[in-house]
Amino acid sequence: MPRTPQQSRSRATVDAIIEGALRCIGTSGMAGLTTKQIADKGGVSVGSIYEYFDNKEAIVDALYQRFVDDIVKMIQRETPRLLENEVEALIQAVLKNFGDLLQQNNQAYFHLAEQLLHTNTERYIAPVQDILGRFVMTYLMRHPKYLRVPNLDVMSYIMINSGIFVVIRQIAGDSGAITLEQIGHGFGRLIKHYIENERA
Amino acid sequence: MPRTPQQSRSRATVDAIIEGALRCIGTSGMAGLTTKQIADKGGVSVGSIYEYFDNKEAIVDALYQRFVDDIVKMIQRETPRLLENEVEALIQAVLKNFGDLLQQNNQAYFHLAEQLLHTNTERYIAPVQDILGRFVMTYLMRHPKYLRVPNLDVMSYIMINSGIFVVIRQIAGDSGAITLEQIGHGFGRLIKHYIENERA
Amino acid sequence: MPRTPQQSRSRATVDAIIEGALRCIGTSGMAGLTTKQIADKGGVSVGSIYEYFDNKEAIVDALYQRFVDDIVKMIQRETPRLLENEVEALIQAVLKNFGDLLQQNNQAYFHLAEQLLHTNTERYIAPVQDILGRFVMTYLMRHPKYLRVPNLDVMSYIMINSGIFVVIRQIAGDSGAITLEQIGHGFGRLIKHYIENERA
Amino acid sequence: MPRTPQQSRSRATVDAIIEGALRCIGTSGMAGLTTKQIADKGGVSVGSIYEYFDNKEAIVDALYQRFVDDIVKMIQRETPRLLENEVEALIQAVLKNFGDLLQQNNQAYFHLAEQLLHTNTERYIAPVQDILGRFVMTYLMRHPKYLRVPNLDVMSYIMINSGIFVVIRQIAGDSGAITLEQIGHGFGRLIKHYIENERA
DNA sequence: CATGAATGAGAATTCATTCAT
DNA sequence: AATGAATGAATTCTCATTCAT
């Protein structure tokens, strides 16, 4: 039913809705997210929301898409710089970039990321896995010495998911006195030792 | 206001409520957890819920307590066996045990664990951190060779949280073809190499 | 949170809610006044009630305001006529007017007045005291012979409250065979004698 | 269904219930009066309440009876003293006694009296009217000079109800700076003048 | 296209009353 | 007689969704 916006006014409305939703989430998290709130913060009417989205879930969906897009863009943008690093510094840089991204939009992305454990999130993560996979490939071609590390799939799965979760918890403030830098350093050395020792 | 159950009938009712809630969560996750559902699945009346719990949140609280208790008990029970292992096998065993626990109660614990990223869950995790910390101490006294590993606090924080999250995602079915065994193996080798290389 | 109605549709809905509430009260008193009932009798939905009122109490509040407004208007409207009367006839006329007002809206105002003894009603009564005080002033300037009556404050307090209560009881049907006319007559003579004898 | 208590244990339970209810009302008024509260404060079980009372209303009923009984007893007790007074002092004394009674039981009677405007209270008031009527008779035989006052029924109805209401409002604290003494004095002079002027 | 008033199903919570022990 | 756990109808309030204007 809802139309796909092609004209510019429509585009603006959709953006306003997304923006409104992001601001709501940044302010009060996913908990009390209502369509009325989104409409108010976005400066549109509730009716307009349903002009462009099937239901509230579709908005959240769009937010995830945008989140994922931003992650993908971030990696693409940083790739040249990242490729220069040895693996330890690489990990640290990636975690740092990811942490910074979560702080954007008044932490709206952080609140979205909090939901990542819930059902149906796989589809959002797939593109991230994709881009990361491609990045790893590129990285390996640039640093061929790492090519002979076994279990690359399992290990990158572990490291990606571990990294995401630990950074989120750190931002959530549950980490006590542990800083993002310490985490980045720890991850970096973990991986460095693994690679150096497992390389055939 | 709600009474603390001392008599056996009361005890049974409280158990029925907890059980009902666990079954609800096992069936449909935390999303659609309503007092009516809990009462129905538990075979009690809504009124009885409020005889023993201040509000719905208090029930969820009790579930978390129970979850945490079960984790603590599991570790205490397994400690003797676990102490025998070298670190690689140890990690694999712990992840395996944790994964098994999440499958209990029709995966109700899994759904609870999904909420762990949300606010106010720190208090539930504290006891787990406690028991794990104590376990690590015991383990280190038994295997003194690991004692000289630096950054024990940061690294155990990273490993504990990473392990929890990755296991949860695996159970959520988001891991593609990757198995719990592979994950355990990967984690094990990660840590093994780290320890052996960082040991002064 | 709830909007102030500016447009005509909103105005109509608010009126329908007030009207529904008045009819509920007229039918079954304050006891069984539920949001559902109000919505049904008013021909609106429960949701609409909360569009315009914070909670049920706010509706009752509005009813009191309306009641008080009507009392004030009634006195303002009748003032010219009332000023002509000697005190005995004046009292009779005022009681008569008040009694008539209570009979309006299927006695809804009567049921509201029944609540006047309860807490937090002072704020509603204040405007009535005000207008009555101003009326007395005007009356005294027109009939200066009454000016030298002592204890005007205490006596008017007594008479106003006595009058309100006795009229309410009469309408409640608890007065046996005593009529409003008899009551008006009695009050009138009481006051007449008091004034004539106490006047310095 | 509920039994009429004849044995002493039963009597004690009924008293405990009444006492519990009085204390509840004295503490928090009629608003949040629950059977559980009554049972707790009375030191009995909810079940026992229904052993002796049909329903909650029946308890409130009993409270009214007791209230009325106490008023009747008060008048009977005070009658010899009251008969000595001239009418002005009489009125003052009666209002004073009534005000004192309302203060008893931590103002529980006051809260009951607040309900007096509601439906179905006539049956409670009737005995009071009775005893007051009889008192007036006795008084008149002792002070025959008042006998020729016209409209005795209407006037005593007005004065009794006015007195009750004004005293209640005074205790409710809504009277501003006006004291019970001033009220008693005002009423006394009102009546004195009426009688002296209307006596044929 | 946009609006926002209206809707009503559904959620949490309360409490008078019952009844097995 | 007494107990108090259990009941569930009833109540207030929320919010995703619809639709007349």
Side-chain angles (χ1 to χ4, degrees):
Chain A
M1 208 75 59
R3 54 187 65 255
T4 320
Q6 281 140 345
Q7 297 158 26
S8 66
R9 181 148 63 128
S10 306
R11 179 85 243 152
T13 305
V14 170
D15 286 348
I17 294 167
I18 300 277
E19 205 57 46
L22 275 178
R23 288 173 56 197
C24 288
I25 290 175
T27 306
S28 33
M30 299 287 284
L33 187 70
T34 68
T35 50
K36 179 118 181 28
Q37 238 185 66
I38 295 171
D40 286 352
K41 287 245 182 196
V44 299
S45 64
V46 262
S48 288
I49 289 178
Y50 287 89
E51 191 80 18
Y52 296 107
F53 295 92
D54 269 322
N55 46 42
K56 199 179 81 168
E57 202 195 341
I59 304 174
V60 178
D61 235 74
L63 297 181
Y64 278 123
Q65 300 299 359
R66 185 156 156 165
F67 180 27
V68 164
D69 276 5
D70 280 354
I71 294 176
V72 169
K73 275 191 219 133
M74 181 263 283
I75 292 170
Q76 286 173 332
R77 176 168 31 82
E78 298 295 325
T79 292
R81 248 189 305 273
L82 293 170
L83 287 176
E84 307 298 328
N85 296 309
E86 286 303 304
V87 73
E88 189 179 349
L90 170 71
I91 298 296
Q92 291 178 34
V94 168
L95 289 189
K96 173 73 167 54
N97 281 324
F98 181 60
D100 290 348
L101 188 65
L102 292 189
Q103 305 282 8
Q104 283 177 15
N105 298 111
N106 197 23
Q107 293 205 333
Y109 281 165
F110 161 67
H111 291 294
L112 277 176
E114 278 190 325
Q115 310 296 319
L116 280 182
L117 282 170
H118 292 359
T119 32
N120 287 30
T121 49
E122 182 56 17
R123 53 181 163 149
Y124 308 120
I125 298 187
V128 178
Q129 303 258 16
D130 258 32
I131 190 76
L132 286 175
R134 240 171 303 151
F135 174 78
V136 170
M137 283 303 163
T138 316
Y139 186 81
L140 290 176
M141 288 170 66
R142 179 75 160 265
H143 303 257
K145 59 179 170 182
Y146 297 133
L147 262 174
R148 280 179 300 165
V149 172
N151 300 324
L152 260 179
D153 57 342
V154 174
M155 295 317 288
S156 63
Y157 177 85
I158 289 178
M159 294 318 300
I160 289 169
N161 285 287
S162 298
I164 289 171
F165 182 76
V166 173
V167 169
I168 292 172
R169 280 214 64 194
Q170 203 280 331
I171 290 173
D174 290 346
S175 318
I178 295 172
T179 67
L180 253 185
E181 278 70 36
Q182 289 177 304
I183 289 169
H185 180 81
F187 264 106
R189 295 194 73 74
L190 262 177
I191 292 175
K192 174 181 140 87
H193 292 314
Y194 180 81
I195 288 172
E196 285 172 356
N197 286 274
E198 294 276 341
R199 211 163 6 145
Chain B
M1 210 78 60
R3 55 187 66 260
T4 321
Q6 284 143 342
Q7 296 158 27
S8 67
R9 183 150 60 129
S10 303
R11 177 88 244 152
T13 304
V14 170
D15 286 348
I17 294 167
I18 299 275
E19 206 57 47
L22 276 177
R23 287 174 57 199
C24 288
I25 290 176
T27 306
S28 34
M30 297 288 284
L33 187 71
T34 70
T35 51
K36 178 99 180 41
Q37 246 189 58
I38 295 172
D40 287 352
K41 288 246 179 196
V44 300
S45 63
V46 260
S48 287
I49 288 177
Y50 290 89
E51 188 88 9
Y52 297 105
F53 296 92
D54 267 322
N55 44 45
K56 201 181 76 169
E57 202 196 341
I59 303 174
V60 177
D61 233 76
L63 297 181
Y64 277 121
Q65 301 299 357
R66 188 156 154 164
F67 179 27
V68 164
D69 276 4
D70 280 355
I71 294 176
V72 169
K73 273 190 220 135
M74 180 265 280
I75 292 169
Q76 285 172 335
R77 172 165 37 78
E78 298 295 327
T79 292
R81 246 188 306 275
L82 294 171
L83 286 178
E84 307 298 329
N85 295 310
E86 284 305 302
V87 73
E88 193 179 345
L90 169 70
I91 297 297
Q92 291 177 34
V94 168
L95 289 188
K96 173 72 166 57
N97 282 324
F98 182 60
D100 289 349
L101 188 64
L102 293 189
Q103 306 280 12
Q104 284 177 15
N105 298 110
N106 193 25
Q107 294 203 333
Y109 282 164
F110 161 67
H111 290 291
L112 278 177
E114 280 190 325
Q115 309 297 318
L116 281 183
L117 280 171
H118 292 358
T119 31
N120 286 31
T121 47
E122 186 55 19
R123 55 181 164 148
Y124 306 120
I125 298 188
V128 176
Q129 303 258 16
D130 257 32
I131 189 76
L132 285 175
R134 239 172 305 153
F135 174 78
V136 169
M137 285 300 163
T138 316
Y139 186 81
L140 290 175
M141 289 172 64
R142 182 73 160 267
H143 303 259
K145 61 180 167 180
Y146 297 132
L147 262 174
R148 279 180 299 169
V149 172
N151 299 326
L152 259 178
D153 56 341
V154 174
M155 297 317 288
S156 64
Y157 176 85
I158 289 177
M159 296 318 300
I160 288 171
N161 285 288
S162 298
I164 289 171
F165 182 75
V166 173
V167 170
I168 291 171
R169 282 214 63 195
Q170 204 280 330
I171 290 173
D174 290 346
S175 319
I178 295 172
T179 66
L180 251 187
E181 277 69 36
Q182 289 177 301
I183 289 168
H185 179 80
F187 264 107
R189 296 196 71 74
L190 261 179
I191 292 174
K192 173 181 143 80
H193 292 313
Y194 180 82
I195 287 172
E196 285 173 355
N197 286 273
E198 294 275 342
R199 205 159 15 139
Chain C
M1 211 77 59
R3 56 186 64 259
T4 320
Q6 282 142 343
Q7 296 157 25
S8 67
R9 183 150 60 130
S10 304
R11 178 87 244 152
T13 305
V14 171
D15 286 348
I17 295 168
I18 299 276
E19 205 57 48
L22 277 177
R23 286 174 58 199
C24 288
I25 290 177
T27 306
S28 35
M30 299 287 285
L33 187 70
T34 70
T35 51
K36 179 103 178 40
Q37 246 188 58
I38 294 172
D40 286 351
K41 289 247 182 195
V44 299
S45 63
V46 260
S48 287
I49 288 176
Y50 290 89
E51 187 90 9
Y52 298 104
F53 296 92
D54 268 320
N55 45 44
K56 201 181 77 169
E57 202 196 340
I59 305 174
V60 178
D61 233 76
L63 297 182
Y64 277 122
Q65 301 298 356
R66 188 158 154 162
F67 180 27
V68 163
D69 276 5
D70 280 355
I71 293 176
V72 168
K73 274 190 220 135
M74 179 264 280
I75 292 170
Q76 285 172 333
R77 176 167 33 82
E78 298 295 325
T79 293
R81 247 188 305 276
L82 294 170
L83 285 177
E84 306 299 327
N85 295 311
E86 284 306 303
V87 72
E88 188 177 350
L90 169 71
I91 297 296
Q92 291 179 32
V94 168
L95 290 188
K96 173 70 167 54
N97 280 324
F98 182 59
D100 288 348
L101 188 63
L102 293 189
Q103 305 280 10
Q104 284 176 14
N105 299 108
N106 195 22
Q107 293 203 333
Y109 281 165
F110 162 66
H111 290 292
L112 278 176
E114 279 190 326
Q115 308 296 318
L116 282 180
L117 280 171
H118 291 359
T119 31
N120 285 32
T121 47
E122 186 55 21
R123 56 181 162 148
Y124 306 119
I125 299 188
V128 177
Q129 303 258 14
D130 257 33
I131 190 78
L132 286 175
R134 236 170 307 150
F135 174 79
V136 169
M137 282 302 160
T138 315
Y139 186 82
L140 289 176
M141 286 171 67
R142 180 76 161 265
H143 302 258
K145 59 181 168 181
Y146 297 133
L147 263 174
R148 279 180 298 168
V149 173
N151 299 323
L152 260 178
D153 58 341
V154 173
M155 296 317 289
S156 64
Y157 177 85
I158 289 178
M159 294 320 299
I160 290 170
N161 285 286
S162 298
I164 290 171
F165 181 76
V166 173
V167 169
I168 292 172
R169 284 214 62 197
Q170 203 280 331
I171 290 173
D174 290 347
S175 317
I178 295 172
T179 66
L180 253 187
E181 278 69 36
Q182 289 176 303
I183 290 168
H185 180 81
F187 263 106
R189 296 196 72 75
L190 262 177
I191 291 175
K192 174 182 141 85
H193 292 313
Y194 179 81
I195 287 172
E196 286 173 353
N197 285 273
E198 293 274 341
R199 206 163 10 144
Chain D
M1 205 78 57
R3 55 186 65 256
T4 318
Q6 281 139 345
Q7 297 157 26
S8 68
R9 181 148 64 128
S10 306
R11 178 86 240 152
T13 304
V14 171
D15 285 348
I17 294 167
I18 299 276
E19 203 58 46
L22 274 178
R23 287 175 55 199
C24 289
I25 290 175
T27 305
S28 33
M30 299 286 284
L33 186 72
T34 69
T35 51
K36 179 118 182 27
Q37 239 186 65
I38 294 170
D40 286 352
K41 287 247 180 194
V44 300
S45 64
V46 262
S48 289
I49 287 177
Y50 288 87
E51 192 78 19
Y52 298 107
F53 295 92
D54 269 320
N55 46 41
K56 201 179 80 167
E57 203 196 338
I59 304 173
V60 177
D61 235 75
L63 296 182
Y64 277 122
Q65 302 297 359
R66 185 155 154 167
F67 179 27
V68 163
D69 276 5
D70 280 355
I71 294 175
V72 168
K73 273 191 220 135
M74 181 264 280
I75 292 169
Q76 286 172 334
R77 175 166 34 82
E78 297 295 325
T79 291
R81 247 188 304 274
L82 292 171
L83 286 177
E84 306 299 328
N85 295 308
E86 285 303 305
V87 73
E88 189 179 350
L90 169 72
I91 297 296
Q92 290 179 33
V94 168
L95 288 189
K96 173 71 166 55
N97 280 324
F98 181 60
D100 289 349
L101 187 65
L102 291 189
Q103 305 281 10
Q104 283 177 17
N105 298 109
N106 196 23
Q107 293 205 333
Y109 281 165
F110 162 66
H111 290 293
L112 277 176
E114 278 191 324
Q115 310 296 319
L116 281 181
L117 282 171
H118 292 359
T119 29
N120 288 28
T121 48
E122 183 55 20
R123 52 181 164 150
Y124 308 120
I125 297 187
V128 177
Q129 303 257 15
D130 258 33
I131 189 77
L132 285 175
R134 238 171 305 148
F135 173 79
V136 169
M137 283 302 163
T138 318
Y139 185 81
L140 289 176
M141 289 170 67
R142 181 74 159 268
H143 301 258
K145 59 180 168 181
Y146 296 132
L147 262 173
R148 279 179 301 167
V149 172
N151 300 321
L152 258 180
D153 56 343
V154 174
M155 295 318 287
S156 62
Y157 176 85
I158 289 177
M159 294 321 298
I160 289 169
N161 285 287
S162 297
I164 290 172
F165 181 76
V166 173
V167 169
I168 291 172
R169 281 213 64 192
Q170 204 280 330
I171 289 173
D174 290 345
S175 318
I178 296 172
T179 66
L180 253 185
E181 277 71 35
Q182 290 176 301
I183 289 169
H185 179 82
F187 264 106
R189 294 196 73 74
L190 262 178
I191 292 174
K192 172 182 141 85
H193 292 314
Y194 181 81
I195 287 172
E196 286 173 353
N197 286 273
E198 294 274 342
R199 206 161 12 140

